[in-house]
Each structure stands twice: as C-alpha cells, then as structure tokens.
Amino acid sequence: MKLLRKLFGAKPKVEPIKAAPIPVAAIKPPKPVITLDAVEQTSDESELLKLAIEGATSQLRQAAAEKIHSREILEQLAKAVKTKDKNVFKIVKTKLDLFKAEDAKLAELEASAIRICEKLERHSHFEADSLFKAKLTVLQTEWDAMGQVSIIAQSRYQSALAACDAKINARAQAIADEEEKLSLDQQALQLAEEAYASLKQLAGDVYRASHVDELINANYELKIQELGNAVRLAANRQLPLDRLTKEFEHRKQQTLNLIDQIKTSGTVKQLTEKLEQAEDSNVVKSTQHKLQQLIKSAKEFGDELPETLSDAKAKLDAIWAERHQTEQAAKNALRDFSELARKGLWAAEQGFVRKARAIQKELQEKRAQLSEVPRGIQAKLDDFEAQLAKLGDWHEFAVTPKKEALITQMQALATSSIAPENLATKIHELQDSWKEVSKGVQQQDDELWQQFQQASAVAYAPCKEFFEVQAAEREKNLTKRRELVSQLQQYLQGYDFANAVWKDVEQTLKTARAEWQTYWPVPRKAGNDLQKEFENLMEQLFGKITSEYESNKNAKQGLIEQAETLVNATDARAATETIKKLQAQWKSIGKSWHKEDQQLWQEFRKHCDAVFALRNQAFEAAKEERQAITAQAEQLIEQLNQFTTQTLEQLNAAKTEIESIKAEFVTLDLPKEVAKALQNKFNASLAAIATKRDSARSQAEEQSWTDLFDAINALREYELAVIAQTASDKLDAQKSNLETLIANTPRWPTGTLNLVQQRLTKADAITSADQVTNTEQLHTLTIRAEILAGKESPAEDKQVRMAYQVKQMQQGFGQRDNSFDPLVLEWVALGGVTTSVYSQLLARFNNSRAQGVKN
C-alpha cells in the first residue's frame, strides 16, 4: 500500500456531502411550567386528561391519571398513552379493569335476570294448575336474590310477574265462581229432589185421608203448586234435571188426578167400610170397581201401596178369590158334565151299550149337583138318552152282521199284497174292532169266533216271517251300537283333551250321533239300556266340548271387559296399542257356541271400534293442535318480518317486543314435520332484523362522523370569526346557532362530544397564534394519518413527513400510531385553521381514515 502511494501519490480526501437541512417547524414559545400543585387544585377531568397526556414529567402525568375517575375520560387516556407512557397506562388500565369487572358482574347479573324473566314469561303462558304457584314462588325467590338489576329487566320481570299473577287471580276467581255455582247448583238440585220426595209423600197422605172433607181442607193442590215452583226454579239453573222434571210433572198430574178421583168416589177408608157393610151385589160391584181404580192409580205411581190401600186390596183380593173359586168350580163341573155327555153320545152311536149305560148313570149323579144346565148341554144330554134307548132295541140285531163283515175283511187280508208291517197293523185293527163289537153282548158266537181266529192266523203268516227277519236286523244293529259305545269309551279314555283339536272333537260327536242313528231298529229293552249308556258317553264328550267352549266364552268375556274399560281411556295411543293386543289374544282363543260366539264378537268389535274412533278423534285433535301451533308460528314469523322495514330507532324501541316474540316462539312445541322449516324461517327473519339493525347502525355511525365534521367545521368558522374580531352580536348569533347544532346532533363518535364542548368553551379566547400552532399540528396530524393508512403524502410534504418519522424514532424508540381514534380526538381539539388549509387537510385526513378502516 505504501509503495502504491509513493508511485501514485496519496488518495485525495473526499469531502462528505452534507445532508440538506431538515425543515423544522418554527420554534414554539415555551409552555408555562405546570406543577403537581396544579394537579391537586384542579378537578376538571378534561384538564387532568390533558395533563396526563402532555404533562412534562412522568410524576405529573401519573398524578393527573390518579385523579381521573370518569370512565369515558379514562378510555380516552388509555388510547392516548397506550404506546407512549407505560406507567400512566398501567394506572388507567387498573382503573378500567375495575370498570370492566363491574361490567362483567353487571352483565352476568343482567343475563341471570334475563334468564329468570324468560322463564317467567314462558311460565305465564301455562295454565294456572296446582304446580303453577309453586314454580312461580321458586322464580320469585331466585329474583329476590339477584340484587340490583337494570330498569329494563325490572320492567320485564314486573310485566311477566303481573301476567302470572293475573293467571293465578283468574284461576282463583274461576275456582271461586265454580265453587259458588256448584254450591248453588247443589242447593237447587237438593231442593228439586226434596220437592219430588215431598210430592211422593203427599200421594201417600192423600191415600191415608179418612174423609173427602179432610182431603179438601188439606188443600193439597196448593202444596203441589208450591213444589212445582221449587222444581222450576231449580231447572232454571241449567242443571241436568230433565228426567227429574219430567218425572215430577208426570207424578204431579197423577197426584192431581188421584185427588179428583178420591173427591168423586170417596177415600180408601170410606170405600173399604162401604164394601164391608154392603149387601147389594150392585153396590159391591160399584165399590170394588172404585177401589180397583184407586189401586190402578197407585200402581201407576210405581211406589209401594200405602197401608190403607194395601188392606183394601187384600180384602178385595180375598173377595175376588172366593168368587173366582166358586165360579171356577161351577165351570169345571159344567165342563166335566158336558164332556161326559159327549162321551156317552159317542158310545151310544158306536153301539157300546155297557159303556153308554155306565156314563148314563154317572150323568144322573152329576146332574143332581148342578143348579142349572145350559141349553146346549141339555140338548146334547137329550140326544144321548134317545140314542141309548134306540141302542137297547137293535144292538143285538146289529152285532152279528158286523162280526161277519170283520171275518170277511180278515180273510181278504190273507191274499193281500200289503207290506208285512202294514198288514200286521190291519190285522191288529180288525182284532180291536172285534173286541169293540163284542162288548155289551151277553152271549158270544163261538163259531164266528173260530172263523175269525183261523182267518187271523192265515193272514198273519207272512208277517211272522217278516218280523223274524226284522228281529235278526235288530240284533245286528244292537251289535253295531255296542261296538260304537266301546269305541266311544276308548276315545274318551285315550284322547289328549288337554291339547285337543276341538273342531275334530266336535266332528267326532256329530259323526257318532249320525252313525248311531243308522243302526236302527234294535230290540226295545236291550236297545233302551244301550241307549242310556250311549247318551251317558255322549254327555261326557259333550261336557268336555261344553267346558272348553265355556272357558273360551269366559276368556272372550274377559277381553270384552278389558276392551270396555279402554273406551273412556284418556291416552288414545296406549288404548289403541292395548286393543290391538286384545285382538291378537282373541284370535288365539278357540271358538264357543256359534250364536254366543257371534254375539261376543259383535260386542268386542263394538268396543274396538269405539277405541279406534277415540284414536281417530285424538289424531284429528292432535292434527288440529299442530295446525294451530303452525299457524301461530307463522303469525310470529310474520310479525318479525314486519320489523325488517322499520328504522333503527323503531327497532330499538321494539326490542322488548321482539324478545317477547322470540320467547313465545321458543315455547311453541313445533310439529316435527314442519319444525325445521319454521325454525329456518324464524332464524331468517331474525337474521334479516339483525342485518337491518347492523345496516342502520353502520349508516348511523357514518352519519355520526359526517355530523361530527359538520359540527367542528361550524365551530371552526366561529373560531375564525372570533380571530377576525367580528361584531359581538353576530358572534352571539353564530354561537347560538352552533350550540343548537351541537345540541340537536343525535349521535357522536365515542369521546368526541366532550372535546367539541371543551373546544366551544375555549373558542372565545382563541388567538392568531393559536391558529398558527393549530395549523401546524393539524398538518402534522394529517401526515400521521397518511403514515398510519400507508398512503403517500404530497411531494411538498415528504420532507416534513420524513422529519416527523426521524423525530419519532429518536423520542419514542420507534413507537408509532396504531389507531385512528386518538388521531380523530386530536383533530377535533385543533381549531381556528383557515378554510383553504383546513379543506385540503380534511380531505387528506378523511381519505386516510377511510383507507385505514378498509384495511
């Protein structure tokens, strides 16, 4: 290196290029020194805020921060010193944490209060049953333990509590009214029943009256009228007295008729005495008729006969019994006499002389006992006497031709082709006729008798062979029947009736009976004995069928009784499931007697149909209830949809109403088939309201910024007028308009109203020097906004921007702005800037703020 230097010489020194001087703002006049005493002496939190931010020393700033207690001022201070003064920020944060803790506690308390209100509101929609008040007491206890809550929650709670109290009061009043109505109805019903009982007793008193005058003096008609009035009064209460009223009116009319009847015919006692003393038959008949009418009237009442009427009836029955017995005896004697005369006439006409004469003797004895014989019977008796006289004359001459005719008929049967059974019958008939003809004849003709006997033997010869064949057939049938009896005995002993197929058993019974009938004829005596044994076996077999059928009948009757209990069941679904199980059990039970089985089935079917009808009614009721709930949900959704067209103020005012609709919708038991769709529609309506509210809030927020900048622009113009020393009257008018503008501005961005008011307070003391200072600070504030938004500053401000950034790095160790809120607050506090400068800077500042909000 040294050699090189020697050869070429030393490298010339390069003079450093001096940086262009950074333009700096004009030196501000020194600020007055503020001490801790000033902090101790002031209580204006706006001044304390300024000291806490701009205080010269950390101790001063901390002391100012310690004296600030307003939450709004603390929040402003926290934003201003968050990245600038850690100690002050810690003090502020500690105080704000207390507020946040209190907010959290209040929020939790408010949430608990809202939950109780929602429960209470849902509870107010239920019926005031026995548990309603108990549940309400639990909710009231929870509320009493809450402590202090917001006025809105208190109002909501009181409203829901009032609704519940109204439900309880209405229920209590309804119960009281119902109890009073039941009491009055019970009294009215008792009055009607007592009136009816009195009317029944009155009828007995009427029967017990001893004389008509006593009946008239008792004035029973008036008493009956009073009882009728009592029943009508009870019926006016809409009680179920139709049957009692109808029976009362019927009995009332019967009693009035009875009174009229007794007044006309006499009392029971009078008629009884008259009956006992009467000797004239017409008087007796008339008295009996009147008593019978009174007894008939008493039976129409349906009550037991009064004692007086019972005694009278007993006497009347005794008279009627005695008369009936006498008349019946006379009728029987006359009927027997007539029948005996008829038999005698027939015997005489048939030529039975001995029988006819015996009857004649008996008729003569009975005739002596009769007081009078009717003309028809006497004529029949005369015919019998005449016929008997003739019979005595020609009987002897008539018997021989008859016997000869019988012999001829018997001889003719020997060559007849009549079937043996019929032939035997004819032979027996002719033999019986011979016996009849021979009766009453003193001498028998032996020759004719021998001829008749010989003809009978010849005629009966074919019958004898036939009956021998029949006897053999009878024995064969008897053997078959014995075999059938033996088979039945084995069947009864060997068949497993515990697991019987009863259809086969019944068929066996029918087959055995039918087969038994085919084995006929049989010998009489042996057949009768075997018939008894067969019938005994059939009764045993039939008894087993009967036992099974009765068991099945009882089982089905039990199912019918179970089905009948389900007809009035409250749970239609459970009743339907039960009835289906009963139907399955019915199918598993065997049959009973056909007719009874059909009757049981019809009765069981009737109860089943009633249960299914009940289920259908329940289904229809549930369907109607689901439709009503769906309609109610649709109505609530429609109510929500109406809010989507309202303004933010209207939405805020309707917040309670919207919450009430939400609570009411939550309480609805939505049908499953439409629950999802309805819930989606409801959520969509709520989302639409939220969107509407958010949109309105965004518009209101944007409008608040517009209103803010309009207000501070008007304030700036007033400050310019003060700097220009405008006339006081014009200033007063301008300030008055400005105050009106500030007062009428509905909404301010957070923390800006106090700054505007403070700036207005200081506006009257603003000077040109303040204007210069504020302009510089506003210029710097605009550049800070552009730095925060990441925007380029105009070319003429690039040097100022760089100088600010270098200064920030030197003083704040690289700290920089990270939020527009402090910048806005600083902007609001700077006044008196000229219009030309302010308009340009405002446009740049708002452009940066808008860009920052986007980012």
Side-chain angles (χ1 to χ4, degrees), residues 60-74:
L60 178 63
R61 294 193 296 273
Q62 292 178 35
E66 290 288 356
K67 287 200 67 176
I68 297 175
H69 301 290
S70 171
R71 183 173 185 174
E72 185 177 1
I73 301 299
L74 288 171

Side-chain angles (χ1 to χ4, degrees), residues 476-687:
K476 181 180 178 181
N477 290 336
L478 184 64
T479 302
K480 293 289 185 181
R481 285 193 170 185
R482 285 196 179 101
E483 293 175 356
L484 183 59
V485 167
S486 176
Q487 292 174 3
L488 284 174
Q489 288 174 340
Q490 294 175 5
Y491 182 79
L492 283 169
Q493 293 172 1
Y495 190 77
D496 184 9
F497 287 98
N499 301 304
V501 179
W502 293 102
K503 183 178 180 181
D504 296 344
V505 175
E506 188 175 358
Q507 185 61 39
T508 300
L509 181 70
K510 292 179 181 179
T511 303
R513 179 72 68 182
E515 188 175 349
W516 180 270
Q517 297 295 335
T518 61
Y519 302 144
W520 176 260
V522 294
R524 181 175 300 175
K525 186 177 183 307
N528 289 340
D529 294 339
L530 194 59
Q531 181 75 35
K532 292 178 181 178
E533 189 175 355
F534 175 77
E535 292 298 338
N536 182 34
L537 294 174
M538 294 299 284
E539 285 179 6
Q540 292 181 39
L541 186 57
F542 185 73
K544 292 185 179 297
I545 296 175
T546 301
S547 176
E548 175 65 17
Y549 282 5
E550 285 296 322
S551 176
N552 294 341
K553 174 184 174 182
N554 293 335
K556 291 181 177 181
Q557 189 65 48
L559 295 182
I560 290 173
E561 292 173 358
Q562 294 181 51
E564 187 176 7
T565 60
L566 298 173
V567 172
N568 298 320
T570 55
D571 189 346
R573 185 184 297 275
T576 302
E577 293 302 321
T578 304
I579 209 72
K580 289 180 179 178
K581 293 178 181 178
L582 295 181
Q583 287 179 333
Q585 293 179 31
W586 184 282
K587 292 180 181 179
S588 65
I589 299 174
K591 67 176 183 177
S592 180
W593 309 112
H594 179 72
K595 184 176 181 181
E596 293 182 352
D597 213 26
Q598 290 298 316
Q599 293 174 349
L600 291 173
W601 168 246
Q602 293 298 329
E603 186 175 0
F604 181 69
R605 176 78 177 273
K606 178 182 70 175
H607 297 322
C608 292
D609 292 343
V611 172
F612 290 132
L614 182 66
R615 179 197 61 179
N616 293 336
Q617 291 176 4
F619 283 169
E620 288 300 321
K623 181 179 178 182
E624 292 177 1
E625 183 179 0
R626 291 196 300 271
Q627 291 174 347
I629 292 173
T630 302
Q632 186 178 359
E634 292 285 2
Q635 183 180 4
L636 293 175
I637 293 170
E638 181 60 29
Q639 292 178 20
L640 284 181
N641 290 336
Q642 294 174 2
F643 290 112
T644 59
T645 60
Q646 296 183 357
T647 63
L648 179 61
E649 290 75 14
Q650 291 174 325
L651 287 175
N652 291 333
K655 184 177 180 182
T656 302
E657 186 177 355
I658 294 173
E659 291 298 326
S660 177
I661 293 174
K662 288 171 62 179
E664 187 174 355
F665 188 87
V666 170
T667 60
L668 295 179
D669 186 11
L670 298 176
K672 293 181 179 179
E673 61 273 15
V674 296
K676 186 175 181 180
L678 289 174
Q679 189 66 52
N680 290 339
K681 289 176 67 176
F682 184 77
N683 293 337
S685 299
L686 290 177

Side-chain angles (χ1 to χ4, degrees), residues 343-354:
K343 290 180 179 180
L345 180 60
W346 179 83
E349 288 175 348
Q350 296 298 322
F352 301 146
V353 179
R354 280 193 301 179

